[in-house]
Amino acid sequence: MVGVSQTVPQNGEVNTRFGVYKAVCCGAEIVISQGATFPDCPNHPRRITIWQHFVTHIEYRRLWDLAGGRTKAEEWEQDHLHGCRVCQGIFVYLNQQTTPSSDSEDDAA
């Protein structure tokens, strides 16, 4: 296939990225961990199933921990933050809430 830059996973293959995936055949959704094997479609067993990664946002609590420096972003989270304006906006807002202000009371007078 010309112009295809990445392969789509099929049943029986090992997952390389945690996430939510949808079966192309019928839209059935699964959550699958990195390293797990993609299953058959629950609605179409014993057939070739192509799984498409479904973009999900980073959970609010996870963004809070990232903004506060309590945890380090996983690779998929870094990639997602670079391209998702929704998560970027929340992250920036939370980062402002968790970072102590550099203004002193003397400056306000």
Side-chain angles (χ1 to χ4, degrees):
M1 290 193 268
V2 178
V4 176
S5 60
Q6 69 182 36
T7 61
V8 289
Q10 295 182 8
N11 50 332
E13 294 181 357
V14 175
N15 185 20
T16 60
R17 182 171 67 168
F18 170 83
V20 178
Y21 287 79
K22 282 189 173 188
V24 172
C25 57
C26 65
E29 292 184 11
I30 60 169
V31 176
I32 185 167
S33 299
Q34 182 177 355
T37 302
F38 280 98
D40 291 348
C41 172
N43 299 322
H44 303 100
R46 297 181 301 280
R47 293 187 184 166
I48 294 175
T49 304
I50 298 172
W51 293 100
Q52 187 172 37
H53 187 257
F54 186 72
V55 177
T56 56
H57 296 289
I58 301 170
E59 291 181 2
Y60 182 81
R61 284 181 272 168
R62 181 78 176 147
L63 283 170
W64 186 265
D65 288 341
L66 293 171
R70 290 179 289 280
T71 189
K72 185 178 177 189
E74 295 180 20
E75 186 176 340
W76 79 268
E77 292 170 323
Q78 290 175 352
D79 293 342
H80 182 79
L81 274 172
H82 285 289
C84 178
R85 291 191 177 275
V86 172
C87 289
Q88 286 174 8
I90 295 169
F91 181 78
V92 168
Y93 174 77
L94 292 174
N95 196 38
Q96 292 171 352
Q97 300 302 311
T98 59
T99 305
S101 176
S102 61
D103 297 336
S104 67
E105 291 180 19
D106 295 335
D107 293 339

